[in-house]
Amino acid sequence: MDGVGAVSSRVWTVPNALSFFRLALVPVFLWFVIVGDDALALAVLVVSSITDFLDGWLARKLNQVSRLGQLLDPAADRLYIFAALVGLAWREVIPWWLVAVIVARDVMLAVLGIILANHGFGPLPVHHLGKVATFCLFWALPLLMLGEAFAPLAPYSLPLGWAFALWGAFLYWWAGIVYIRETARVIRLPADDSGPHSDRLDREEVDGA
């Protein structure tokens, strides 16, 4: 029972609770984007960003950094990006081909994860190109929404948003090619019998798992 209690306490920490709250806001955000209420959608995104900062700060402050928290944060980022993509494409603000390009890369990563697992390896650490691509996309979509919500800002926010979106999509696939090459390299290595583990890229190329 003590072991179960310890695991439960690690899951239901304040930082993790904030991460779950951030995830719970994703469908609310998606609904506002679909119905075209971009101002409220941006407000939800601001709340999510503040929550993201707070859960990271509290995790370090309270020494409650957990593997679950490290998984929830990037998952939330991707879900917000996916929700914004689908909502804006539904309204024909962005083309569906952009959605397909970005989603296809995530599907490819899922396939790579299955291949690695079948060879006894865990997921690869996040490459810095992937982080930069996510950063670009995470700024691109709110900028496009800002132009839709406030017409006077459109001449400035829309070109900037499209620049971030196209550059982010390009870097997203550049990072994907890096992951393909690393997966091909890793599966040639002997698997560790102690269980799945994450291989490491060169330390200079990795910003963290």
Side-chain angles (χ1 to χ4, degrees):
M1 291 294 291
D2 290 341
V4 174
V7 172
S8 178
S9 65
R10 286 197 298 269
V11 171
W12 295 110
T13 60
V14 173
N16 285 351
L18 288 173
S19 295
F20 281 118
F21 173 71
R22 187 171 173 233
L23 285 170
L25 288 177
V26 172
V28 179
F29 172 74
L30 175 60
W31 173 253
F32 285 141
V33 177
I34 288 176
V35 299
D37 202 334
D38 292 309
L40 283 178
L42 287 168
V44 172
L45 204 56
V46 169
V47 171
S48 171
S49 299
I50 294 172
T51 304
D52 184 29
F53 168 79
L54 284 177
D55 75 55
W57 180 80
L58 287 172
R60 294 186 294 272
K61 187 76 171 178
L62 302 176
N63 194 27
Q64 293 181 341
V65 176
S66 67
R67 180 58 179 161
L68 177 62
Q70 291 173 334
L71 293 173
L72 288 177
D73 284 343
D77 288 342
R78 278 186 165 78
L79 284 174
Y80 275 101
I81 290 173
F82 180 72
L85 285 169
V86 170
L88 292 175
W90 183 268
R91 288 164 47 198
E92 299 183 347
V93 175
I94 63 173
W96 281 103
W97 65 258
L98 182 60
V99 181
V101 164
I102 294 171
V103 172
R105 211 268 341 213
D106 283 339
V107 171
M108 182 267 292
L109 282 189
V111 172
L112 293 181
I114 295 171
I115 293 172
L116 286 167
N118 287 339
H119 284 80
F121 293 96
L124 292 169
V126 177
H127 194 277
H128 71 275
L129 280 175
K131 286 193 171 186
V132 173
T134 301
F135 173 83
C136 288
L137 293 173
F138 207 72
W139 276 100
L141 300 170
L143 284 169
L144 293 174
M145 292 163 56
L146 192 65
E148 293 292 318
F150 305 102
L153 297 177
Y156 310 100
S157 65
L158 292 180
L160 192 58
W162 273 108
F164 270 115
L166 296 175
W167 186 239
F170 170 73
L171 290 178
Y172 218 47
W173 270 99
W174 187 356
I177 292 170
V178 172
Y179 292 134
I180 291 173
R181 292 176 57 188
E182 286 302 311
T183 298
R185 179 182 66 82
V186 168
I187 60 177
R188 299 193 194 101
L189 301 175
D192 186 350
D193 292 336
S194 62
H197 62 280
S198 291
D199 184 60
R200 289 290 181 265
L201 301 173
D202 293 337
R203 292 189 180 277
E204 294 79 4
E205 296 180 335
V206 177
D207 286 329

